Amino acid sequence: MQKYTVNELLAARENRTELIDELLKRYHTPLLVMRVNYPGLEKMNQLTVNIIEAMSPVVCTSLSNKICGKLLLRGPEGPILYVAVKEDVLALKMIAIKFEEKHPLGRCLDLDVYDLKGKSIGRQELGYPMRKCYLCEDYAHHCVRARRHSKLEVIAYIEEKFKEYRDNILC
């Protein structure tokens, strides 16, 4: 597990924004960006790597011949998969929402979709509510802001979801 500083994390976020712009210009298609919703500064760890490695082929297979390019990077924000997809941006966001809501690891993921101008498409634009917290029925955004749950509780949830997924895949 690698721990980064807050400044490294902030710089990585800025770099991600620049990379998204570069990929949008290169491929001229909407972009899907997949990360693990993992708390704290230790986002680059074996669990986040395992989840991205498990989910990358699942997501890419579902998008099959619509993929123009993909890139997997590791850094302060953890592993991040970037996928340029020849698809209507709202249809791509709908696919992302279905993964987040229906796949056993979906709640652990953050699947962002960007249009050609670099604007992130929100769930609300398709009539979906904000995402719920892992641990309670409130909106995740509220729990994060209020620091309602400990980092260890959230990590334990993610670990359990991955263990369940891995155990079910091997059965």
Side-chain angles (χ1 to χ4, degrees):
M1 175 167 22
Q2 190 165 355
K3 185 175 182 177
Y4 291 91
T5 67
V6 172
N7 287 338
E8 289 171 320
L9 183 62
L10 293 173
R13 286 183 184 160
E14 286 180 32
N15 292 339
R16 177 169 39 97
T17 301
E18 291 172 10
L19 178 59
I20 288 168
D21 288 341
E22 287 175 29
L23 293 172
L24 289 169
K25 287 175 188 164
R26 179 183 309 161
Y27 293 106
H28 305 288
T29 66
L31 193 66
L32 176 76
V33 179
M34 181 171 67
R35 298 177 294 144
V36 177
N37 281 323
Y38 195 89
L41 296 174
E42 300 94 11
K43 296 177 188 301
M44 189 63 229
N45 59 66
Q46 195 58 55
L47 178 60
T48 59
V49 168
N50 289 343
I51 291 172
I52 292 294
E53 286 179 353
M55 289 304 298
S56 293
V58 173
V59 169
C60 290
T61 298
S62 75
L63 298 169
S64 62
N65 59 349
K66 297 177 182 179
I67 295 176
C68 301
K70 58 186 173 180
L71 176 65
L72 176 62
L73 297 177
R74 298 176 182 203
E77 292 187 286
I80 303 176
L81 177 69
Y82 300 85
V83 186
V85 185
K86 285 185 217 170
E87 178 65 272
D88 172 75
V89 72
L90 295 179
L92 183 58
K93 183 61 181 182
M94 183 61 78
I95 292 167
I97 290 169
K98 285 182 182 175
F99 267 106
E100 289 174 343
E101 292 187 350
K102 305 286 185 205
H103 193 278
L105 291 177
R107 298 215 47 217
C108 301
L109 297 173
D110 189 8
L111 292 165
D112 293 324
V113 173
Y114 295 88
D115 68 13
L116 296 178
K117 295 179 181 176
K119 177 184 174 284
S120 178
I121 306 301
R123 297 167 61 88
Q124 293 80 3
E125 291 177 55
L126 292 171
Y128 285 84
M130 294 188 303
R131 291 182 79 179
K132 297 279 185 158
C133 173
Y134 290 152
L135 305 172
C136 71
E137 286 302 305
D138 199 357
Y139 292 120
H141 180 75
H142 295 162
C143 289
V144 170
R145 285 264 163 115
R147 295 185 180 169
R148 194 165 290 142
H149 311 289
S150 76
K151 186 168 81 168
L152 294 178
E153 287 176 293
V154 175
I155 292 169
Y157 173 88
I158 297 168
E159 287 172 339
E160 181 61 26
K161 284 296 177 189
F162 183 71
K163 181 184 179 309
E164 288 172 9
Y165 179 73
R166 186 191 61 220
D167 292 350
N168 286 331
I169 292 293
L170 297 177
C171 290

